[in-house]
Amino acid sequence: MKLVCTKANLLNGVNIVSKAVPNKTTMSILECILIDATNNEIKLTANDNEIGIETIISGTIKEAGKIALDAKILFDIVRKLPDSDVTIECDSSLKTYINCDKAKFTIIGKPADEFSYLPEVERLDSVLVSQFTLKEVIRQTIFSIADNDNNKIMTGELFEINGNSLKVVSLDGHRISIRKIALKDSYSNKKVIVPGKTLNEISKILSGDTDKDVRIFFTGKHIIFEFDKTTVVSRLIEGEYFKIDQMLSSDYETKITVNKRDFLESIDRATLLVKEGDKKPIIINIGNESIELKISSTVGSMNEEIMIKKQGKDLMIGFNPKFLMDALRVIEDESIDIYLVNPKAPCFIKNPEESYIYMVLPVNFTTVS
Amino acid sequence: MKLVCTKANLLNGVNIVSKAVPNKTTMSILECILIDATNNEIKLTANDNEIGIETIISGTIKEAGKIALDAKILFDIVRKLPDSDVTIECDSSLKTYINCDKAKFTIIGKPADEFSYLPEVERLDSVLVSQFTLKEVIRQTIFSIADNDNNKIMTGELFEINGNSLKVVSLDGHRISIRKIALKDSYSNKKVIVPGKTLNEISKILSGDTDKDVRIFFTGKHIIFEFDKTTVVSRLIEGEYFKIDQMLSSDYETKITVNKRDFLESIDRATLLVKEGDKKPIIINIGNESIELKISSTVGSMNEEIMIKKQGKDLMIGFNPKFLMDALRVIEDESIDIYLVNPKAPCFIKNPEESYIYMVLPVNFTTVS
């Protein structure tokens, strides 16, 4: 195999597919990127059997062939090459020469036939969203997946298509995040659970461009994202997602409207008195025209008043401050509505059209503080 | 005590003096910043008995007094306050109220009289340099101090004044860094060893402004830096510095002139094949019109050719690549001269006027590679 491409193209391609290279594995072939120049295109592939990514880079093939190269070493080398044309050449003994200007690297590759290609998946049923929208919706929900495997389904996100609406849901037992997006077209109904890891990696390689689309294919066991010259194939999480509609309620006893930034900054200030891992709740005392935030710890105490608009009853309620902040940080609205029932019932932060709903369970502060 | 100042002023002051707060200490009073408003000015002080910093911030004193407050907590609180006026008030029970807009913090201070003030040092003999020059000269030499205490003198830098010249020297047994700076005025001769830690901390709070000066006072046991409204007092390292003139030599067998950036980037590329902690030398083969850089490891090998101008003999010599890169990174010249004798003698990177001299000892590559 012998091929020539620019450093910039090569670096971009290696960077994209590296997202599917596992950090730790006992199978060294999984740590490799396959460079395949057998079909008149230069295709880079990485695949850890949960998520696989391939991307095509432009360049010139001088001699067809393929080779698997250690992803980390390849990335480090390419990153530090001068901005010029790079030649990659390998011989039958797997010795691989990477030359760029006067820099000449020699590394040993692995046989391409040890590499496991992406699964062949039928691409019938697809949905179109912009790269920007997909990247945003991941950012706005990914923080409330569960970070341990005790309940596999909680480590993923529900992607549900209903006509021209995409609903994305994540939950971890203490809170639920829901985002609804209007699609340009209508599609047949779909409901899959996408691994959080896949979504994290894909959001790193999406450009965030509003003009560029991602085509998402759904099959029984896989989801495929196609954008630019890149294809990401991921296994789905099997099982039935939680029935979230039963957890949502539109009844409330108290509704407050508050400036989002003031509220977020005030909670942020309060938490600095709390050491990490310390489960101190923040106590919110809702009065007629203002809420009072209070936190006290061994370090000291803070209280702060924020002006609000209120409908309904006064209420005192405690929350894990991190859960409130996670939700507030991804809401763009200047002013937000919070719906509450009583100190033991969940609160809902949502807009009237319900394009976002963040539910957070309260903390029993009478026993904690 | 009761005082009012802007958040910005307070944050800046706390940030400056925090540099003298030790990371680990068993004496909790050392973790504090003293706020002293007894002398018609608001003075913040921190002092770990090696280095002490005080700075004066503008503000209004409503009631004279002083209090010691935990530096980390104070910094965290001030950092997150709204951009507005801050009131700090403490009562006789050491309870301290920090109020800013509607945010009200309460923390417990420590008695000011437990705090150890900066030593009273006579300020007679002083030297003037710009903040920019001092910050730069620290950056250009600090990397070659020794990082362990086996030889206390190596953990500091020599500051030597001779007439209108300031010479700064650091060495760690493998290399020497020397910078010479022309001062605006002439001064009596001085020679002190300043702790590396002091220089590291001071370079963080120097503005790097060419128009602003630092006044440096020298005494038998201390060095004092005065700039803006800040005073830094540091102990000196006692003892006699190494006689570096004996280590320098102007004899050479080979002199090469090379583009600094090409040389640095090439060494940087070579090192990516070497795992950290692995002591692989980079081998430089000096020919007539070019040098060849070579490194080989279990990962692979690299070689690269760089065009040079040469006087004298051909030579093959090995170096710890990090030592060469550290020196090259702080030299601004586009093209540099390197002077060599033989594979066992030190190399010198220096300019004709010797405003910088970097000496690096070679590595015996025949036994290593």
Side-chain angles (χ1 to χ4, degrees):
Chain A
M1 184 195 79
K2 184 174 181 181
L3 55 88
V4 182
C5 61
T6 65
K7 178 218 165 154
N9 282 344
L10 182 58
L11 182 59
N12 184 42
V14 170
N15 185 37
I16 288 171
V17 298
S18 287
K19 302 290 183 277
V21 176
N23 285 327
K24 280 178 190 174
T25 171
T26 50
M27 290 172 66
S28 66
I29 190 72
L30 295 186
E31 291 172 338
C32 287
I33 290 173
L34 180 73
I35 304 178
D36 185 339
T38 53
N39 281 319
N40 288 321
E41 56 185 16
I42 305 171
K43 188 162 74 179
L44 307 183
T45 311
N47 182 13
D48 78 352
N49 294 331
E50 286 289 327
I51 173 173
I53 305 180
E54 61 181 38
T55 194
I56 289 159
I57 60 172
S58 22
T60 314
I61 300 169
K62 304 263 182 181
E63 194 190 315
K66 50 189 176 178
I67 184 90
L69 298 175
D70 183 279
K72 198 184 163 309
I73 295 168
L74 182 63
F75 182 64
D76 283 346
I77 289 177
V78 176
R79 201 159 48 98
K80 294 203 170 171
L81 288 176
D83 275 321
S84 187
D85 278 350
V86 183
T87 306
I88 303 181
E89 186 174 3
C90 63
D91 62 21
S92 56
S93 71
L94 303 172
K95 225 179 211 179
T96 305
Y97 306 93
I98 304 174
N99 296 350
C100 183
D101 284 352
K102 297 198 166 170
K104 296 182 177 61
F105 283 91
T106 312
I107 57 176
I108 304 293
K110 285 197 194 325
D113 48 16
E114 284 184 15
F115 196 87
S116 63
Y117 281 83
L118 300 197
E120 290 287 339
V121 181
E122 259 197 350
R123 294 173 198 202
L124 295 171
D125 222 2
S126 79
V127 165
L128 213 62
V129 295
S130 78
Q131 293 204 27
F132 173 79
T133 301
L134 181 58
K135 198 178 166 94
E136 275 295 282
V137 79
I138 295 171
R139 182 179 71 87
Q140 290 160 341
T141 53
I142 197 74
F143 56 84
S144 65
I145 59 170
D147 53 7
N148 66 53
D149 270 2
N150 293 345
N151 188 326
K152 187 82 184 163
I153 287 174
M154 281 192 191
T155 66
E157 297 202 340
L158 177 73
F159 271 60
E160 185 176 355
I161 310 273
N162 259 308
N164 70 343
S165 152
L166 164 66
K167 183 160 82 174
V168 177
V169 181
S170 69
L171 62 85
D172 67 0
H174 305 285
R175 49 189 171 157
I176 307 178
S177 304
I178 305 172
R179 283 274 172 174
K180 274 182 216 141
I181 289 153
L183 303 171
K184 276 174 238 155
D185 299 305
S186 260
Y187 302 93
S188 64
N189 291 2
K190 294 166 191 62
K191 205 170 172 180
V192 296
I193 308 168
V194 189
K197 184 180 177 303
T198 297
L199 296 171
N200 267 321
E201 298 304 338
I202 209 166
S203 77
K204 287 179 200 158
I205 53 180
L206 286 168
S207 72
D209 211 321
T210 48
D211 296 336
K212 287 185 177 177
D213 282 337
V214 183
R215 187 166 286 282
I216 310 177
F217 293 88
F218 296 83
T219 72
K221 297 208 162 176
H222 291 92
I223 187 166
I224 302 171
F225 300 88
E226 275 187 3
F227 52 98
D228 303 331
K229 293 195 156 188
T230 300
T231 306
V232 179
V233 180
S234 166
R235 278 183 201 269
L236 294 170
I237 296 176
E238 289 177 42
E240 184 83 22
Y241 202 72
F242 306 93
K243 301 210 182 328
I244 55 156
D245 289 342
Q246 300 171 0
M247 307 175 196
L248 307 179
S249 145
S250 54
D251 294 343
Y252 64 92
E253 298 279 329
T254 306
K255 176 188 170 187
I256 63 171
T257 304
V258 60
N259 178 287
K260 191 208 81 167
R261 201 178 136 195
D262 289 351
F263 192 39
L264 176 57
E265 288 183 353
S266 175
I267 302 172
D268 192 30
R269 274 193 282 280
T271 54
L272 65 88
L273 295 176
V274 183
K275 289 195 191 104
E276 236 170 280
D278 204 352
K279 289 190 178 163
K280 273 280 173 194
I282 181 157
I283 293 156
I284 299 177
N285 193 0
I286 303 173
N288 249 343
E289 293 183 331
S290 67
I291 51 177
E292 192 188 14
L293 280 86
K294 277 196 276 194
I295 201 157
S296 67
S297 75
T298 50
V299 175
S301 64
M302 189 211 79
N303 76 70
E304 185 163 348
E305 212 188 357
I306 302 172
M307 303 316 287
I308 57 162
K309 280 188 200 143
K310 193 190 78 164
Q311 290 170 28
K313 294 195 290 191
D314 287 359
L315 180 66
M316 195 185 301
I317 187 167
F319 288 103
N320 178 330
K322 182 182 180 304
F323 292 170
L324 287 181
M325 284 197 289
D326 281 346
L328 294 174
R329 282 202 183 102
V330 298
I331 297 176
E332 308 298 330
D333 294 350
E334 198 181 317
S335 163
I336 54 164
D337 297 330
I338 308 178
Y339 300 82
L340 305 112
V341 178
N342 64 50
K344 311 219 164 181
C347 89
F348 292 90
I349 307 171
K350 60 184 183 183
N351 56 355
E353 56 273 36
E354 297 197 347
S355 70
Y356 63 81
I357 303 175
Y358 292 96
M359 189 208 86
V360 181
L361 287 177
V363 180
N364 192 349
F365 63 92
T366 48
T367 58
V368 183
S369 70
Chain B
M1 186 196 78
K2 183 174 182 182
L3 55 88
V4 182
C5 61
T6 65
K7 178 220 167 158
N9 283 344
L10 182 59
L11 182 59
N12 184 42
V14 171
N15 185 37
I16 287 172
V17 299
S18 288
K19 302 290 183 277
V21 176
N23 285 326
K24 280 178 188 174
T25 171
T26 49
M27 289 171 65
S28 66
I29 190 72
L30 295 185
E31 291 173 338
C32 288
I33 290 173
L34 180 74
I35 303 178
D36 185 340
T38 53
N39 281 318
N40 288 321
E41 57 185 14
I42 304 171
K43 188 162 75 179
L44 308 183
T45 310
N47 182 13
D48 77 352
N49 294 329
E50 286 289 327
I51 173 174
I53 305 180
E54 60 180 39
T55 194
I56 289 158
I57 60 174
S58 21
T60 314
I61 301 169
K62 304 263 182 179
E63 193 189 317
K66 50 189 176 177
I67 184 89
L69 298 176
D70 183 279
K72 200 186 161 306
I73 294 167
L74 182 62
F75 183 65
D76 282 347
I77 289 176
V78 176
R79 202 160 46 96
K80 295 202 169 171
L81 289 177
D83 275 321
S84 187
D85 278 349
V86 183
T87 306
I88 303 181
E89 186 173 3
C90 63
D91 61 21
S92 55
S93 69
L94 303 173
K95 226 180 209 176
T96 305
Y97 307 93
I98 303 174
N99 295 348
C100 183
D101 284 353
K102 298 199 167 171
K104 297 182 178 62
F105 283 90
T106 312
I107 57 176
I108 304 294
K110 286 196 195 322
D113 48 15
E114 284 183 16
F115 196 85
S116 63
Y117 281 83
L118 300 199
E120 290 286 339
V121 182
E122 261 198 348
R123 293 174 199 201
L124 295 170
D125 221 2
S126 79
V127 165
L128 214 62
V129 295
S130 79
Q131 293 204 28
F132 174 78
T133 301
L134 182 58
K135 198 178 166 97
E136 275 295 283
V137 79
I138 295 171
R139 183 180 70 87
Q140 290 160 342
T141 53
I142 198 75
F143 57 84
S144 66
I145 60 170
D147 52 7
N148 66 54
D149 270 2
N150 293 345
N151 187 326
K152 187 81 184 165
I153 287 175
M154 282 192 190
T155 65
E157 296 202 342
L158 176 74
F159 271 60
E160 186 176 354
I161 310 274
N162 258 307
N164 70 343
S165 152
L166 164 65
K167 183 161 83 173
V168 177
V169 181
S170 69
L171 62 84
D172 66 0
H174 305 285
R175 49 189 171 155
I176 307 177
S177 305
I178 305 172
R179 284 272 172 173
K180 274 182 217 140
I181 290 153
L183 303 171
K184 276 175 238 154
D185 299 306
S186 260
Y187 303 93
S188 63
N189 291 1
K190 294 166 191 62
K191 206 170 170 180
V192 298
I193 309 169
V194 189
K197 184 180 177 306
T198 298
L199 296 171
N200 268 322
E201 298 305 337
I202 209 167
S203 77
K204 287 179 201 157
I205 53 181
L206 285 168
S207 72
D209 210 319
T210 48
D211 296 336
K212 288 187 178 176
D213 282 338
V214 184
R215 187 166 286 283
I216 309 177
F217 294 88
F218 296 82
T219 71
K221 298 209 161 174
H222 291 92
I223 187 167
I224 302 170
F225 300 88
E226 277 186 2
F227 53 98
D228 303 332
K229 294 197 156 186
T230 300
T231 306
V232 180
V233 180
S234 166
R235 276 182 203 270
L236 293 171
I237 296 176
E238 288 177 42
E240 185 81 22
Y241 202 71
F242 306 94
K243 302 211 182 324
I244 56 157
D245 289 342
Q246 300 170 1
M247 306 175 197
L248 307 178
S249 145
S250 54
D251 294 342
Y252 64 90
E253 299 279 328
T254 307
K255 175 187 170 187
I256 63 172
T257 304
V258 60
N259 178 287
K260 191 209 80 167
R261 200 178 138 193
D262 289 351
F263 192 40
L264 176 57
E265 288 184 351
S266 175
I267 302 172
D268 191 31
R269 273 193 283 279
T271 54
L272 65 89
L273 295 176
V274 183
K275 287 192 193 108
E276 238 169 279
D278 204 351
K279 288 189 178 163
K280 274 279 173 196
I282 182 157
I283 294 157
I284 300 177
N285 193 0
I286 304 174
N288 250 342
E289 292 184 329
S290 66
I291 51 176
E292 194 190 12
L293 279 86
K294 278 196 278 195
I295 203 157
S296 68
S297 75
T298 49
V299 174
S301 63
M302 189 212 78
N303 77 70
E304 184 161 349
E305 213 189 356
I306 303 172
M307 303 317 287
I308 57 162
K309 279 187 202 142
K310 191 191 78 165
Q311 289 169 31
K313 294 194 291 189
D314 288 0
L315 179 65
M316 198 188 295
I317 188 167
F319 288 104
N320 178 330
K322 183 183 180 305
F323 292 170
L324 288 180
M325 285 196 290
D326 281 347
L328 294 173
R329 281 201 184 105
V330 298
I331 298 176
E332 309 297 331
D333 294 350
E334 199 181 317
S335 165
I336 53 163
D337 297 329
I338 308 178
Y339 300 81
L340 305 112
V341 180
N342 64 49
K344 309 219 164 180
C347 90
F348 292 89
I349 307 171
K350 60 182 182 183
N351 56 355
E353 56 274 34
E354 298 198 345
S355 69
Y356 64 79
I357 304 175
Y358 292 96
M359 190 210 84
V360 181
L361 288 177
V363 180
N364 192 348
F365 63 90
T366 48
T367 58
V368 181
S369 69

